[in-house]
């Protein structure tokens, strides 16, 4: 296969134009081209250039060696890398006979799904323990909080099939190093389960919440068809450890489950499970994370600022952004989990606390854009050991509940009032999307002073990059605290806990991923480590 990069075509080009561009680029006739596939498509929407798609394509041609030799000095024509996935092992027959314990995966978010799927595809028949419910039941419970102010602590935005990523933009891009192309495996499995085929090549792929529901269900069924088990409403409350080896897990209301290979795909909000692991002596350490607010603008404002005359072009869709500012007090302020044409959602998993997050549907056609505007903090800001970050989050979330009026409404403030240091009393042109609702107040009370100071400095600086970003009517909603896990369950090069053999910390909750794609990739890596350990 040959790869061509930097093929530029007008946005509104005809379907046949890409093939013609390939033939022209390589000076070939149509009979020499066997087949081609788009590997990546991005767009150039700079205000001073013609709107264009930029393609990377992989193709098969006759006399491949001759073509490659002809373009040996052309950096945009080269041999395609092998992006296919290769299994590292096949389960021993003793797994099927029951003579050897099957691997256990705790958590069925993106990391747990891919850990279980890869293990199942290798024949290991994994057992998955998920504390929450199946995704459709979970969706009903989540709407219960958003519409009726009723929280189910075991079935919400954080807990249940699909994990926190189900109620998000469904973003599938990441900046992780991926030399083995595990990300391609993640994308291909999503497409096989019903995700749009375009996520295989668009520059910033996303699925959206409603589509993710069906995708997750199909992936679950494949695991079951391959001999795996998904056990819902199975809350892990403890761990059996003998001579520094995991031997089983304790499940609320159930007998202990024996296991010698346990994948911890917990997600970043399983606070009680983190404590159980700490109580069992599993090594962990505090790590940095970020806290802040959600900000909402009209999506049309963001489109105009980012795309200029190309704003509103259906082939491009809603614009996004990524911003960062280094404040004078030494804090980094940055945009997090930007959701074009989306909504701000209630994301708490504990009673009497308020947490915000953002999500979009595949269409990204809601009136507002939203993103977290968050400030980096470190364990020095919350001293007290590995679990101190959890308590720090809880304090902020409890304060937000109080400032919101004690009804799961979130505290909010107009950007203009926030910058002037006065409480807001009424909404103006931007109406917040957060449900159950937003209670206007003074958000300076919601977060530490150094966070407020840094955000107040950053918003006018962001205005220089996106005109209108610090508009007075834009809305801030608090608080955003679940940006990443506040701790790391440290693992070694064999992907096992530093001090407990057979325990495999994985994904966001363990501090090794951030987002759907990187969590899925980490799930694959850990599944491979588990499989190989059966033969060590």
């Amino acid at each position: 296969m040959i790869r061509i990069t930097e093929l530029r075509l007008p946005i509104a080009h005809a379907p046949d134009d890409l093939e013609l561009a390939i033939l022209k680029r390589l000076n070939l006739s149509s009979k020499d081209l066997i087949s081609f596939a788009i590997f990546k498509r991005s767009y150039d929407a700079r205000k001073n250039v013609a709107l264009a798609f930029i393609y990377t394509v992989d193709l098969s041609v006759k006399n491949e060696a001759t073509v490659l030799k002809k373009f040996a000095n052309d950096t945009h024509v080269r041999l395609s890398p092998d992006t296919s996935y290769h299994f590292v092992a096949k389960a021993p027959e003793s797994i099927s006979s029951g003579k050897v314990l099957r691997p256990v995966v705790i958590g069925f978010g993106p990391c747990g799904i891919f850990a279980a799927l890869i293990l199942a595809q290798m024949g290991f028949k994994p057992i998955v323990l998920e504390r929450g419910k199946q995704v459709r039941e979970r969706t009903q419970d989540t709407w219960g909080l958003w519409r009726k102010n009723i929280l189910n602590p075991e079935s919400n935005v954080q807990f249940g099939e699909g994990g926190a990523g189900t109620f998000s933009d469904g973003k599938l891009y990441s900046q992780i190093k991926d030399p083995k192309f595990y990300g391609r495996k993640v994308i291909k499995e999503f497409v096989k389960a019903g995700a749009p085929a375009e996520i295989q090549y668009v520059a910033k792929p996303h699925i959206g919440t409603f589509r993710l529901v069906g995708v997750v269900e199909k992936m679950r069924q494949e695991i079951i068809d391959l001999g795996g088990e998904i056990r819902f409403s199975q809350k892990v409350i403890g761990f059996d450890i003998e001579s520094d080896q995991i031997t089983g897990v304790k499940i609320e209301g159930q007998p202990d489950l024996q296991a010698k290979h346990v994948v911890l795909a917990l997600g970043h909000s399983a606070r009680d499970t983190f404590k159980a692991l700490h109580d069992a002596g599993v090594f962990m350490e505090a790590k940095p994370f970020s806290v802040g607010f959600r900000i909402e603008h009209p999506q049309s404002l963001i489109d105009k600022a980012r795309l200029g005359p190309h704003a509103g072009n259906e082939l491009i869709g809603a614009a996004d952004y990524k911003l960062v500012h280094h404040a004078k007090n030494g804090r980094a302020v940055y945009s997090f989990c930007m959701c074009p044409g989306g909504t701000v959602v209630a994301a708490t998993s504990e009673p009497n606390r308020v947490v915000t997050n953002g999500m979009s549907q595949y269409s990204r056609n809601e009136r507002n854009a939203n993103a977290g505007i968050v400030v980096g903090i470190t364990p020095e800001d919350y001293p007290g050991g590995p679990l101190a970050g959890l308590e720090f989050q809880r304090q902020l979330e409890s304060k937000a509940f109080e400032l919101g009026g004690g009804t799961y409404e979130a505290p909010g403030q107009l950007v203009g009032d926030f910058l002037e240091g006065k409480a807001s009393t009424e909404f103006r042109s931007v109406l917040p999307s957060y449900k159950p609702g937003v209670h206007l107040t003074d958000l300076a009370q919601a977060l530490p002073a150094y966070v407020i100071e840094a955000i107040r400095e950053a918003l006018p600086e962001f205005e220089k990059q996106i005109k209108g970003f610090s508009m007075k009517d834009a809305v801030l909603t608090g608080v955003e605290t679940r940006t990443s896990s506040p701790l790391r369950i440290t693992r070694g090069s064999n992907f096992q806990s530093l001090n407990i053999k057979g325990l495999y910390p994985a994904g966001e909750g363990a501090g090794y991923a951030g987002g759907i794609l990187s969590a899925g990739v980490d799930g694959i890596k850990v599944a491979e480590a588990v499989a190989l350990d059966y033969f060590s």
Side-chain angles (χ1 to χ4, degrees), residues 92-160:
E93 290 296 327
S94 51
I95 285 283
S96 297
S97 66
K99 295 179 180 179
V100 172
L101 292 174
R102 296 152 64 186
V104 171
V105 178
I106 302 176
F108 203 52
C111 181
I113 288 172
F114 277 93
L117 181 64
I118 298 301
L119 286 167
Q121 289 175 343
M122 289 189 286
F124 284 89
K125 304 181 188 302
I127 299 171
V128 179
L129 304 176
E130 168 55 55
R131 67 188 296 169
K133 299 179 182 179
Q134 294 186 10
V135 66
R136 292 190 187 273
E137 296 177 67
R138 174 195 178 200
T139 300
Q140 294 175 359
D141 291 333
T142 301
W143 280 101
L145 173 61
W146 296 351
R147 292 178 172 176
K148 301 177 182 178
N149 294 33
I150 300 173
L151 171 68
N152 183 335
E154 299 300 333
S155 181
N156 46 63
V157 165
Q158 307 296 346
F159 300 144

Side-chain angles (χ1 to χ4, degrees), residues 7-14 17 41-55 303 306-317 319:
L7 272 178
R8 180 184 292 264
L9 289 172
I11 287 281
H13 69 78
D17 288 350
R41 186 190 73 192
S42 56
Y43 64 82
D44 187 344
R46 288 173 293 173
K47 297 177 183 179
N48 60 342
V49 300
L51 192 59
F53 277 136
I54 303 171
Y55 288 94
D303 289 344
R306 300 294 287 173
L307 302 176
H310 309 310
N313 188 301
E314 293 182 359
L315 294 172
I316 296 178

Side-chain angles (χ1 to χ4, degrees), residues 188-469:
K188 286 182 177 296
E189 290 294 344
F190 278 136
V191 172
K192 186 173 75 173
E198 69 175 32
I199 68 172
Q200 296 176 97
Y201 58 82
V202 295
K204 294 182 177 180
H206 72 285
I207 300 178
T209 293
F210 286 169
R211 290 199 176 197
L212 271 169
V213 170
V215 168
V216 166
E217 287 179 321
K218 289 183 180 178
M219 297 178 80
R220 177 224 303 167
Q221 190 58 51
E222 179 177 350
I223 294 169
I224 293 171
D225 291 343
L226 292 170
E229 294 181 44
I230 319 293
R231 302 179 183 179
F232 293 102
S233 300
Q234 301 280 300
K235 182 178 179 179
V236 173
I237 58 174
F239 299 85
D240 298 322
I241 298 171
E242 297 178 8
S243 302
D244 297 329
Q245 163 74 54
I246 190 78
T247 59
V249 296
K250 298 182 183 298
I251 306 169
E252 189 173 67
Q254 301 288 332
D256 289 7
L257 177 63
Q258 288 185 295
K260 290 188 176 181
H261 296 85
V262 176
V263 177
L264 293 173
L266 302 174
H268 57 43
S269 294
R271 293 166 172 171
D272 45 9
T273 314
F274 291 144
K275 185 177 185 305
L277 287 161
H278 187 262
D279 291 346
V282 176
F283 182 82
M284 57 182 65
E285 52 193 334
K287 63 173 275 295
F289 62 106
S290 301
V291 298
F293 305 122
R294 279 270 148 187
I295 191 167
E296 289 190 87
H297 300 91
Q299 180 62 48
S300 57
L301 181 148
I302 303 300
D303 289 344
K304 183 177 180 180
R306 300 294 287 173
L307 302 176
H310 309 310
N313 188 301
E314 293 182 359
L315 294 172
I316 296 178
D320 62 4
Y321 58 79
K322 186 175 183 180
L323 302 167
V324 64
H325 172 69
H326 296 283
K328 294 176 182 177
N329 66 2
R331 305 285 174 168
V333 188
Y334 63 97
S335 59
F336 170 78
C337 186
M338 193 273 158
C339 297
T343 56
V344 180
V345 299
T348 187
S349 55
E350 296 180 334
N352 301 329
R353 295 191 170 98
V354 164
V355 182
T356 63
N357 193 12
M359 80 174 198
S360 300
Q361 302 303 339
Y362 178 73
S363 59
R364 291 179 165 178
N365 62 0
E366 300 292 338
R367 67 178 182 274
N368 289 352
N370 78 81
I373 300 297
V374 298
V375 177
I377 58 176
T378 72
E380 293 179 357
D381 297 311
Y382 44 90
L387 302 182
L390 302 179
E391 292 308 313
F392 185 77
Q393 289 176 323
R394 280 173 165 153
Q395 292 171 15
L396 299 181
E397 294 164 12
S398 295
K399 182 64 175 178
F401 182 79
E402 176 188 329
L403 290 172
T407 63
Y408 292 109
E409 289 192 353
Q413 190 173 15
L414 273 61
V415 165
D417 294 334
F418 175 77
L419 293 175
E420 293 177 15
K422 64 181 183 181
S424 295
T425 57
E426 63 178 352
F427 298 109
R428 295 177 184 168
S429 62
V430 180
L431 299 178
S433 58
Y434 177 95
K435 302 296 182 184
V438 174
H439 178 80
L440 288 173
T441 184
D442 181 1
L443 285 177
Q445 308 170 64
L447 295 173
Y450 57 81
V451 174
I452 299 299
E453 177 186 5
I455 294 177
R456 280 182 174 152
E457 179 184 322
L459 292 176
E461 292 300 315
F462 293 158
E463 172 79 21
K464 297 176 183 178
Q465 299 179 59
I466 298 179
K467 184 176 176 57
F469 198 86

